[in-house]
C-alpha cells in the first residue's frame, strides 16, 4: 500500500514521463520542492515496491503497476480540481485544497464525487443554479 508521500512521488513521476517522456531526479525534486537526496531515497523505495525500475545514472521507468497507480493518482487529482471548481472554490485555493484532501478520501467518496460531477455536467442549468444559491448564501 502506497503512503501519501509515495503517491505524491508517483503522481509527479507519471506526469513528468507523460509530458517529457522521462523523469529525472532533479525534475522530481523541483516539482515536489524536496532535496534530490530525498528523491533518490524514495525512488529506491518505489523500486523495491515494484512501482518503478531504477538504475543509478541511467534513469527510471514505471512498471505497469506504477503506470496504473500514477494514472489513477493524476485522474483523482483532476477530478478533485473539477469538483472544487464546480462548487465555486476560488482558483487560488483549489491546488492547496486538493493537495490537502486527495490522500484522505476513500475510493467510495471519489466515486460519489465523480457521480455528482456527472450529474451537474449533464444539465448546465444545475451548475448555474448552484452558483446562484452560493451567491445568495454568501450575500446573506
Amino acid at each position: 500500500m502506497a503512503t501519501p508521500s509515495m503517491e505524491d512521488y508517483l503522481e509527479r513521476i507519471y506526469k513528468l514521463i507523460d509530458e517529457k517522456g522521462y523523469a529525472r531526479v532533479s525534475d522530481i525534486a523541483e516539482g515536489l520542492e524536496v532535496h534530490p537526496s530525498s528523491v533518490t531515497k524514495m525512488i529506491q523505495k518505489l523500486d523495491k515496491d515494484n512501482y518503478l525500475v531504477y538504475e543509478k545514472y541511467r534513469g527510471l521507468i514505471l512498471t505497469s503497476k506504477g503506470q496504473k497507480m500514477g494514472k489513477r493518482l493524476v485522474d483523482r487529482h483532476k477530478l478533485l480540481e473539477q469538483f472544487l471548481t464546480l462548487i465555486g472554490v476560488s482558483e487560488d485555493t483549489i491546488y492547496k485544497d486538493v493537495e490537502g484532501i486527495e490522500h484522505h478520501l476513500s475510493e467510495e467518496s471519489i466515486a460519489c464525487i465523480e457521480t455528482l460531477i456527472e450529474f451537474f455536467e449533464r444539465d448546465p442549468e444545475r451548475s448555474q443554479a448552484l452558483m446562484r444559491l452560493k451567491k445568495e448564501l454568501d450575500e446573506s
Side-chain angles (χ1 to χ4, degrees), residues 6-7 30 35 39-40 52 62 71-72 75 77 83 90-91 96 109 123 140:
M6 290 167 76
E7 288 183 350
E30 182 181 323
H35 290 21
V39 174
T40 300
L52 56 82
L62 289 171
K71 181 173 180 356
R72 187 178 67 75
D75 289 348
H77 192 102
F83 173 66
S90 69
E91 230 178 274
K96 181 181 64 134
S109 293
D123 182 357
S140 58

Side-chain angles (χ1 to χ4, degrees), residues 119-130:
F119 172 78
F120 279 97
E121 285 182 343
R122 286 187 181 185
D123 182 357
E125 175 55 33
R126 293 174 183 153
S127 295
Q128 294 165 0
L130 178 64

